[in-house]
């Protein structure tokens, strides 16, 4: 997958660059990020350099994870990280992906995470053909769950002992989002307003012509 750039009114979502390493390192010093995500703890500058220089580019190249740096249009500061991960079933009949994100402490409470995520979700559904998008978080991560709920994710339950953290098994919350869960609003027409930016395609909430038929269980 060739990396793409997306944009919202306040944000630019672009591939990570080597120059992002100091900002990623600084953001990940805030305790909540290593506590609730899979980033290393303690998080050193070498971890940030490896992520922006190796992990993120290889994810795009190998179609294993599409990581975006979420940056402010106003001042270019790093707002957070967001991406579609666990893409092993994206190009199988399951057409499934998982949404992951973290937000720098100074940018929380402003709606930036939801704003960025809505764009990634629509891109996943419209351009990549995702038919089921999952959200996972360790049970107790109320901030991440609040974002998922605002995006329209249906909370499906708790996966017991799903993840191991610091030698202890922990429960994980799971939610799902389908294309039909989104409002059926057409995307605005027009050309991309940043070099290399992808314009959203199609109509959100409208089933793709080649989508797999869905037969919900009536019980």
């Amino acid at each position: 997958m060739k990396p793409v750039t997306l944009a919202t009114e306040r944000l630019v979502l672009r591939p990570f660059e080597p120059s992002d390493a100091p900002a990623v390192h600084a953001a990940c010093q805030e305790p909540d990020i290593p506590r609730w995500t899979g980033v290393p703890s303690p998080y050193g500058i070498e971890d940030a350099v490896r992520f922006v220089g190796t992990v993120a580019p290889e994810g795009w190249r190998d179609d294993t994870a599409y990581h975006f740096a979420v940056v402010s249009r106003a001042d270019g500061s790093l707002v957070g990280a967001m991406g579609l991960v666990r893409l092993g079933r994206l190009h199988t009949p399951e057409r499934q992906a998982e949404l992951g994100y973290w937000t720098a402490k100074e940018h929380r409470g402003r709606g930036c995470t939801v704003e960025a995520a809505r764009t990634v979700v629509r891109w996943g559904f419209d351009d990549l053909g995702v038919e089921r998008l999952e959200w996972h978080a360790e049970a107790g991560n109320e901030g991440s769950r609040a974002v998922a709920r605002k995006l329209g994710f249906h909370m499906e339950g708790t996966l017991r002992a799903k993840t191991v953290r610091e030698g202890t098994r922990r429960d994980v919350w799971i939610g799902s989002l389908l294309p039909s869960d989104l409002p059926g609003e057409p995307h605005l027409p027009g050309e991309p307003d940043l070099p290399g930016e992808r314009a959203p395609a199609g109509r959100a909430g409208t089933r793709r012509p080649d989508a797999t038929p869905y037969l919900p269980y009536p019980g």
Side-chain angles (χ1 to χ4, degrees):
M1 178 71 173
K2 183 177 179 180
V4 302
T5 296
L6 307 172
T8 71
E9 181 179 353
R10 297 183 294 170
L11 307 167
V12 175
L13 288 75
R14 58 163 175 75
F16 278 95
E17 303 169 352
S19 59
D20 294 319
V24 171
H25 174 253
C28 291
Q29 301 312 297
E30 197 273 319
D32 279 349
I33 293 179
R35 168 62 184 88
W36 295 113
T37 73
V39 305
S41 180
Y43 195 84
I45 185 63
E46 66 279 3
D47 296 308
V49 169
R50 180 174 178 272
F51 175 72
V52 302
T54 303
V55 174
E58 287 183 352
W60 286 97
R61 185 194 66 198
D62 300 336
D63 291 318
T64 55
Y66 301 149
H67 293 288
F68 291 96
V70 181
V71 299
S72 168
R73 278 185 182 266
D75 60 11
S77 61
L78 182 71
V79 173
M82 182 166 297
L84 298 180
V85 299
R86 296 187 174 92
L87 298 180
R89 288 187 285 176
L90 176 59
H91 300 295
T92 67
E94 287 81 5
R95 295 190 182 183
Q96 184 170 303
E98 181 181 330
L99 179 69
Y101 44 82
W102 57 255
T103 305
K105 183 176 182 180
E106 60 270 23
H107 291 284
R108 294 175 195 165
R110 302 176 183 176
C112 292
T113 309
V114 173
E115 182 177 327
R118 282 184 176 140
T119 296
V120 173
V121 165
R122 290 177 185 254
W123 173 69
F125 287 152
D126 293 344
D127 285 28
L128 303 183
V130 174
E131 294 187 357
R132 173 180 164 88
L133 187 62
E134 290 192 345
W135 160 86
H136 292 191
E138 184 181 329
N141 190 346
E142 296 289 356
S144 182
R145 183 163 69 169
V147 169
R149 286 187 181 279
K150 289 177 181 177
L151 293 170
F153 276 85
H154 290 234
M155 297 296 113
E156 296 183 332
T158 301
L159 305 175
R160 298 187 303 154
K162 171 69 173 176
T163 191
V164 176
R165 180 182 293 278
E166 298 178 351
T168 301
R169 288 197 170 274
R170 312 289 178 97
D171 293 343
V172 168
W173 287 332
I174 181 173
S176 70
L177 188 69
L178 308 181
S180 57
D181 294 328
L182 297 184
E185 299 176 358
H187 290 301
L188 295 177
E191 295 294 325
D193 56 5
L194 288 175
E197 181 182 325
R198 291 286 296 278
R203 173 187 289 266
T206 300
R207 192 170 69 89
R208 293 164 57 98
D210 61 343
T212 309
Y214 173 36
L215 182 62
Y217 179 61

